[in-house]
Amino acid sequence: MSIIPSMREDVDTVIREDPAARNILEVVTCYPGLHALWIHRFAHVLWKRGWVVLPRFISHIGRFLTGIEIHPGATIGHRFFIDHGMGVVIGETSEIGDDVLMYKGAVLGGTSHKKKKRHPTIGNHVVIGTGATVLGAITVGDDACIGAGSVVVNDVPPGSTVVGVPGRIVSDGPKRASDLDHGNLPDPIADAVKVLIHEIGLLESRFQALEHTLTKNGNGGSTVIKATSHNDTGIRGELDRIERGFQGEGI
């Protein structure tokens, strides 16, 4: 694609993806994510032709102007959009597909000092949330969504949603950014704790029923049971305190 159609496509992408965009003039003059992308495309052409210092210097200027750092060696597809891009970092061997959306503070980083493929490969139609970090030569499949603040160090299957530190796959992902409601993303750790507390409650009910049965049948074993029940009450009180803490956090 030639320069002018490519630039027009980038502008149309911003208008489509950001409801705050009002017109072309606003997008062209006031969107640092767009400016960083255009600077990168120029630097990337020079990098592919064998230049080193000049494209690095151009990307450095882009970082100074926009707060977005994109290595000129990174490969970026069509209709890429960085929304509120301050702090975004895209490493040298990163590969980004088409129709990818990244938010503020997202990082595509490396985990090796060797001169080889060491940054992520991002598929098509991927959403990377605010402050998310994707590390290493891993692959994020098409239509995947990375929740805000997640740290991803393993491959992500297509169509998955990943949240947490380290990132965990929690569901088949939504297809577009507008469907990724960060406020309602599941928390697998909190869910596991809730299940554990529920199971302990069931065990406590069975224990109390057993205590009641033994007490009716005589006092022979009731002393031991009641002593154990006293300790269990303390454990249950601690679990109740933990559960109230989760509820206080809105989990």
Side-chain angles (χ1 to χ4, degrees):
M1 184 180 292
S2 60
I3 295 177
I4 298 302
S6 177
M7 295 177 68
R8 182 172 298 172
E9 182 181 62
D10 293 333
V11 172
D12 291 341
T13 299
V14 175
I15 293 175
R16 183 180 65 252
E17 296 290 349
D18 188 359
R22 296 293 189 271
N23 54 61
I24 294 177
L25 179 62
E26 179 192 14
V27 170
V28 170
T29 57
C30 301
Y31 275 74
L34 181 64
H35 302 155
L37 178 60
W38 285 348
I39 292 170
H40 167 73
R41 294 201 193 283
F42 177 56
H44 184 63
V45 170
L46 297 177
W47 182 269
K48 289 176 65 177
R49 293 182 179 180
W51 295 67
V52 176
V53 177
L54 181 57
R56 285 301 305 271
F57 183 69
I58 291 172
S59 67
H60 182 67
I61 293 175
R63 179 177 182 269
F64 175 78
L65 295 175
T66 66
I68 299 169
E69 181 174 345
I70 308 176
H71 193 285
T75 302
I76 298 177
H78 296 288
R79 297 173 296 279
F80 177 58
F81 178 38
I82 302 174
D83 196 5
H84 299 290
M86 180 64 70
V88 165
V89 177
I90 300 175
E92 176 188 5
T93 61
S94 299
E95 299 175 57
I96 300 175
D98 298 334
D99 302 290
V100 172
L101 173 61
M102 291 180 68
Y103 286 96
K104 171 185 176 296
V107 174
L108 303 183
T111 56
S112 172
H113 294 293
K114 297 181 180 179
K115 294 183 181 299
K116 62 178 184 178
K117 171 67 173 173
R118 60 189 186 279
H119 296 91
T121 298
I122 308 298
N124 301 322
H125 304 283
V126 172
V127 179
I128 303 177
T130 300
T133 302
V134 186
L135 297 175
I138 63 176
T139 299
V140 178
D142 296 348
D143 299 304
C145 294
I146 311 300
S150 301
V151 177
V152 182
V153 294
N154 296 306
D155 290 345
V156 177
S160 299
T161 297
V162 176
V163 299
V165 181
R168 295 174 175 83
I169 298 171
V170 294
S171 67
D172 291 335
K175 302 304 181 185
R176 295 303 307 147
S178 58
D179 299 325
L180 185 59
D181 187 353
H182 284 94
N184 292 323
L185 287 177
D187 185 336
I189 296 177
D191 291 342
V193 172
K194 286 182 179 180
V195 171
L196 179 60
I197 291 175
H198 176 70
E199 292 297 324
I200 291 175
L202 294 178
L203 289 174
E204 182 184 46
S205 298
R206 295 177 63 184
F207 181 85
Q208 290 175 348
L210 178 61
E211 178 190 24
H212 179 70
T213 300
L214 292 175
T215 302
K216 286 179 60 178
N217 292 337
N219 295 326
S222 61
T223 303
V224 176
I225 295 296
K226 288 180 179 179
T228 307
S229 179
H230 176 75
N231 293 333
D232 180 73
T233 301
I235 295 172
R236 182 60 194 178
E238 182 65 17
L239 289 172
D240 287 340
R241 184 187 67 79
I242 294 173
E243 185 174 17
R244 287 195 299 272
F246 278 115
Q247 292 173 349
E249 294 291 336
I251 296 176

